[in-house]
Amino acid sequence: MAPKYTVSYFPIKALAEPIRLLLSYGKIEFEDNRISSEEWPKYKDSMPMGQMPTLQIDDKVYYQSNAICRYLAKQMGLAGANDLEAMEIDIAVDSIHDFRLKVGPAHYETDETLKAKKYEELTAETIPFFLKKLEARAAANNGYMALGKLTWADFILTGIAGYLKLICHQDIFAENPNLKSVVDKVLALPAIEAWYAKSPKCDF
Amino acid sequence: MAPKYTVSYFPIKALAEPIRLLLSYGKIEFEDNRISSEEWPKYKDSMPMGQMPTLQIDDKVYYQSNAICRYLAKQMGLAGANDLEAMEIDIAVDSIHDFRLKVGPAHYETDETLKAKKYEELTAETIPFFLKKLEARAAANNGYMALGKLTWADFILTGIAGYLKLICHQDIFAENPNLKSVVDKVLALPAIEAWYAKSPKCDF
């Protein structure tokens, strides 16, 4: 019998969406377990690090979204042909997450004065810096994030694209055609089109 | 001719030390290029993402410390025997870095009032939470971070142990014997003893 896969996360895309996209790409059936913020306190203590997403495979619960994505990508031939290629993909993935981690704290800042100050710096420096670097990477890689071909780094960017727009307070793809091309190519994959035809709608 | 390896970083352990430890473990000679904070602005623009550490292998510069460590670990048989094992190690590594990323911003906070407030929460909740989880992981894995055996996750913890103590404002190993055992075992490896016999002294 095929193993049973369950993805648990909030009812948004964000960090779980790359996992859902990779499973969809690999035509692996999975339970899409969406836990609302209201229900979350009930479940938090049962999660290995008090966090989601998790991927349960039969009885075993795995966590850390990148670890899960890298594992799935290996099963699907999206993780590079050798160790050097795998490293190039990892570099791209971690650079995308660095961008997210630099901007995220401002989005969750509750002090409005501090928040405005943080976004002032982010909008003037950090966001343009990362977008320039990531756009250049996509341009140098034929509209992919690494190796000039489809890899799981493209699924990471596509999965968290809406979340990045949300926390950056801007359409990060508007002036970055090569980054946009990464996302467009993933979204045009038949298995991903099929996923979005049936999955709950959410912008981020 | 053997490839030439150069590690570039500030003159501290922190994120470069796991790379240096893995190279030492693999008996790979490398240039230990330490750039002071004063010199750093001169070099910043030449780094792929304006960041260090980097690992240069001959003419090619790689970045993102985890990507580099994972690559090196594969060459040294420290990255798991199969894809599921590799994922378990990645989960451990990312959990250690999550801890670092939760505490780090408080360490760099320049507003003293905000800093004190952040450390109040960290000391009461976040730091004990992560230490409990990581100690339990080490206990369940025979004094290693994953798989009950030596992997590159142990090199990550050992390399950033001093940095974690610095940013946590406490000896995180004092009451966590299994975590301490992870570090002790790595430090007792002959190749690592040899590295610390010759490398510049620094606590973090």
Side-chain angles (χ1 to χ4, degrees):
Chain A
M1 213 173 109
K4 176 168 162 45
Y5 291 79
T6 304
V7 177
S8 295
Y9 197 56
F10 299 102
I12 57 173
K13 292 175 178 171
L15 290 181
E17 195 69 6
I19 301 172
R20 299 180 188 127
L21 293 181
L22 285 163
L23 288 166
S24 300
Y25 178 80
K27 306 228 165 49
I28 297 174
E29 295 275 329
F30 65 98
E31 185 186 333
D32 186 20
N33 178 33
R34 294 176 182 235
I35 297 175
S36 69
S37 301
E38 293 72 36
E39 293 175 296
W40 170 234
K42 277 196 305 191
Y43 292 93
K44 186 172 170 61
D45 286 348
S46 68
M47 300 293 171
M49 290 293 286
Q51 289 180 324
M52 296 190 291
T54 59
L55 173 66
Q56 186 167 343
I57 307 179
D58 289 333
D59 290 339
K60 176 96 174 130
V61 178
Y62 299 94
Y63 52 105
Q64 291 292 355
S65 63
N66 275 333
I68 293 167
C69 286
R70 189 178 295 104
Y71 169 79
L72 293 174
K74 287 176 185 172
Q75 317 313 309
M76 292 155 201
L78 292 173
N82 54 51
D83 294 347
L84 277 173
E85 284 201 3
M87 174 163 57
E88 292 281 7
I89 300 168
D90 286 346
I91 290 169
V93 166
D94 287 352
S95 296
I96 296 166
H97 284 300
D98 270 3
F99 180 30
R100 175 179 67 79
L101 289 164
K102 290 276 187 192
V103 182
H107 180 68
Y108 299 105
E109 178 61 60
T110 50
D111 180 315
E112 290 301 324
T113 310
L114 271 180
K115 185 168 187 154
K117 197 175 144 200
K118 284 181 180 177
Y119 272 103
E120 200 175 313
E121 189 283 326
L122 287 171
T123 306
E125 293 184 30
T126 304
I127 293 172
F129 174 83
F130 273 94
L131 287 178
K132 188 179 162 193
K133 291 286 187 183
L134 294 173
E135 170 69 6
R137 165 178 277 283
N141 282 285
N142 194 27
Y144 295 97
M145 291 311 293
L147 306 177
K149 65 182 180 188
L150 188 71
T151 70
W152 67 282
D154 305 315
F155 287 75
I156 294 289
L157 181 68
T158 303
I160 69 169
Y163 179 79
L164 287 174
K165 285 200 238 182
L166 175 79
I167 63 174
C168 285
H169 293 187
Q170 61 182 268
D171 180 1
I172 59 171
F173 300 100
E175 292 170 24
N176 296 295
N178 288 284
L179 275 185
K180 182 166 187 302
S181 165
V182 174
V183 174
D184 287 346
K185 286 202 285 287
V186 173
L187 294 179
L189 296 167
I192 302 305
E193 285 195 332
W195 164 247
Y196 282 119
K198 70 174 185 185
S199 69
K201 302 291 164 261
C202 182
D203 286 337
F204 54 87
Chain B
M1 213 172 107
K4 176 167 163 47
Y5 291 79
T6 304
V7 177
S8 294
Y9 197 56
F10 299 103
I12 58 173
K13 292 176 176 169
L15 290 181
E17 195 69 6
I19 301 172
R20 298 179 188 126
L21 293 180
L22 285 163
L23 288 166
S24 300
Y25 178 80
K27 306 231 164 48
I28 296 174
E29 295 275 330
F30 64 98
E31 185 186 333
D32 185 20
N33 178 33
R34 294 177 183 235
I35 296 175
S36 68
S37 301
E38 293 72 37
E39 292 174 295
W40 170 233
K42 276 196 306 191
Y43 293 93
K44 188 173 170 60
D45 286 346
S46 68
M47 300 293 171
M49 289 293 285
Q51 289 181 323
M52 297 189 291
T54 60
L55 173 66
Q56 186 167 345
I57 306 180
D58 289 334
D59 290 339
K60 176 96 175 132
V61 178
Y62 298 96
Y63 52 105
Q64 290 293 355
S65 63
N66 275 333
I68 293 168
C69 287
R70 188 178 295 105
Y71 169 78
L72 293 174
K74 287 177 186 172
Q75 316 313 310
M76 293 155 199
L78 293 172
N82 54 51
D83 294 347
L84 277 172
E85 285 201 5
M87 174 162 57
E88 292 282 6
I89 300 168
D90 287 345
I91 291 168
V93 167
D94 287 350
S95 296
I96 296 166
H97 283 300
D98 271 2
F99 180 31
R100 174 179 67 79
L101 290 164
K102 290 275 187 193
V103 182
H107 180 68
Y108 299 104
E109 177 60 61
T110 51
D111 179 316
E112 289 302 323
T113 310
L114 270 180
K115 184 169 187 154
K117 197 176 142 199
K118 285 182 178 175
Y119 272 103
E120 201 175 312
E121 188 284 327
L122 288 172
T123 306
E125 292 184 31
T126 305
I127 293 172
F129 174 83
F130 273 93
L131 287 177
K132 188 179 163 193
K133 292 287 186 182
L134 294 173
E135 170 69 6
R137 164 177 276 284
N141 281 286
N142 193 28
Y144 295 97
M145 291 312 293
L147 307 177
K149 66 182 180 188
L150 187 71
T151 70
W152 68 281
D154 305 315
F155 287 75
I156 294 289
L157 182 69
T158 304
I160 69 169
Y163 179 79
L164 288 173
K165 285 199 237 182
L166 174 79
I167 63 175
C168 286
H169 294 186
Q170 61 183 266
D171 180 0
I172 59 171
F173 300 100
E175 290 170 25
N176 296 295
N178 288 284
L179 275 185
K180 182 167 187 303
S181 166
V182 174
V183 174
D184 287 346
K185 285 201 286 286
V186 173
L187 294 179
L189 295 167
I192 302 305
E193 286 196 331
W195 164 246
Y196 282 118
K198 70 175 185 186
S199 68
K201 301 294 164 258
C202 182
D203 286 337
F204 53 88

